Amino acid sequence: MKTDDDKKPVAAASFRVVGYLREYNVVDGRAIQFDFSKITHLNIAFINPDANGAFSTLSGLKELVTAAHAKNVKVLASIGGGLAPEYYTKLIADKSSRAKLVGSIASLTTQYNLDGIDVDLEGHFVDANYEAFVVELQALLKPKGKLLTTAIATVYATQYTDKALAQFNFINIMSYDKTGPWKPEKPGQHSPYSMAVDDLDYWGGARGIAKEKLSLGLPFYGYGFGNGVPEDMAFADIIKKYPGAETKDEVTVTAGGTIYYNGLPTIKSKTTLALQKAGGVMVWQLLQDDAGTNSLLNTIDAEVKAAKK
């Protein structure tokens, strides 16, 4: 049941800023050079097992965790991904292989001093065995004081059971990719403000999840449709190639194609929305941001700090 408390904004002091960095940037050293001062949680994407449920050693992860912890940032390993290995379906289907996988994942948190696990299984991976998988994973992580979070897409909403969702400490809503290169016949904005509103209304309203547990996903990239534009492009590259693009949400080139993304005003508006209707924001992904005065992360940080005053 909703109460008057559900209408109140989440305290800015506890507001999450969750950012993703790619696993290969841990290996090449770019991740450890990142300024962690404007995020609260860092997810490393994606750390996946082999077909037997075993994980290989990830060079540089221990050092990254130490650096992040020095800035009071929690670090989670994100498993799965939009292109998750197909064998996940087999690993979580069989009871014995699922138990082995869950044990291996839990061991990761000890091996690298991680603060938790982020489950990013999407589409057909969210099947009849998904609930048992996250229930068993939480059963091992909770006694260790570790977090269990997830990245979800509203397009797959009916596949997530209430019991499965209840296992997560917080939920990152992937409020983007409404369209993209896989839908060339549907050009347009892939992450409109209206999508953010609808997503938060669905998960916080229809599904009854406390707003404190929701993080609104924000894209630091754009998609191109038509002639003369790349299929995808980092925000930093967009504003470098097209001066003035930082204040807009789309750029149309002379060849006729258009790039759609979220500029500074939209990211600011979405952060304000999240401060009212969620417990945080989530960013995919941090290294796509501009490092200068047009930084999207700086815009988020400024809005959160203003809310604390």
Side-chain angles (χ1 to χ4, degrees):
M1 178 180 292
K2 293 288 181 179
T3 67
D4 289 340
D5 288 340
D6 293 299
K7 300 176 183 178
K8 298 178 182 178
V10 172
S14 60
F15 192 78
R16 290 181 304 277
V17 179
V18 183
Y20 282 85
L21 285 174
R22 299 305 300 263
E23 169 269 339
Y24 51 75
N25 290 134
V26 176
V27 178
D28 67 21
R30 289 189 68 194
I32 202 168
Q33 297 170 14
F34 185 79
D35 177 8
F36 303 111
S37 64
K38 296 179 177 67
I39 62 174
T40 59
H41 296 74
L42 175 63
N43 291 350
I44 305 303
F46 293 97
I47 301 177
N48 287 315
D50 60 24
N52 295 314
F55 290 86
S56 57
T57 301
L58 181 58
S59 175
L61 184 54
K62 283 185 177 180
E63 292 78 7
L64 175 64
V65 171
T66 298
H69 283 173
K71 295 291 183 69
N72 296 315
V73 173
K74 297 183 184 300
V75 185
L76 294 83
S78 186
I79 64 170
L83 299 174
E86 193 59 38
Y87 50 73
Y88 262 112
T89 56
K90 294 182 179 179
L91 288 175
I92 69 173
D94 177 73
K95 190 172 182 179
S96 60
S97 64
R98 186 168 65 239
K100 179 181 178 182
L101 174 63
V102 166
S104 294
I105 294 172
S107 294
L108 272 182
T109 63
T110 301
Q111 181 180 356
Y112 296 103
N113 196 26
L114 295 165
D115 298 283
I117 297 295
D118 177 62
V119 177
D120 186 3
L121 291 176
E122 307 170 25
H124 70 280
F125 292 104
V126 186
D127 58 17
N129 302 300
Y130 179 86
E131 179 185 292
F133 169 60
V134 296
V135 166
E136 291 172 25
L137 183 55
Q138 179 64 296
L140 287 189
L141 293 179
K142 190 172 183 179
K144 294 160 67 76
K146 306 296 184 180
L147 297 171
L148 180 61
T149 71
T150 187
I152 62 175
T154 306
V155 68
Y156 307 124
T158 58
Q159 295 168 230
Y160 300 100
T161 66
D162 290 342
K163 184 176 180 179
L165 293 174
Q167 306 308 309
F168 301 111
N169 295 95
F170 61 82
I171 293 168
N172 301 310
I173 307 170
M174 295 183 285
S175 196
Y176 41 70
D177 290 1
K178 188 173 185 178
T179 187
W182 58 92
K183 290 183 179 179
E185 75 285 358
K186 292 187 177 181
Q189 178 56 256
H190 77 96
S191 184
Y193 181 85
S194 60
M195 184 181 187
V197 172
D198 291 345
D199 284 346
L200 288 174
D201 284 349
Y202 174 76
W203 294 105
R207 295 301 289 266
I209 298 173
K211 62 175 176 282
E212 290 82 4
K213 290 184 67 173
L214 298 175
S215 307
L216 177 63
L218 307 175
F220 279 18
Y221 62 92
Y223 288 134
F225 296 86
N227 297 324
V229 293
E231 287 190 342
D232 61 84
M233 199 171 187
F235 176 76
D237 295 332
I238 293 172
I239 65 173
K240 181 179 180 180
K241 189 168 184 178
Y242 308 104
E246 63 274 5
T247 61
K248 307 172 184 177
D249 285 340
E250 61 182 77
V251 172
T252 299
V253 302
T254 54
T258 302
I259 304 169
Y260 300 91
Y261 56 96
N262 280 186
L264 296 170
T266 296
I267 291 296
K268 180 178 179 180
S269 295
K270 286 185 176 181
T271 303
T272 300
L273 175 67
L275 281 160
Q276 292 295 324
K277 293 191 173 185
V281 294
M282 173 271 284
V283 171
W284 181 273
Q285 54 98 343
L286 295 168
L287 291 182
Q288 293 174 314
D289 194 18
D290 184 62
T293 56
N294 293 321
S295 165
L296 297 176
L297 188 59
N298 285 349
T299 298
I300 295 168
D301 186 60
E303 283 302 291
V304 175
K305 286 180 176 175
K308 292 179 181 180
K309 294 179 180 179

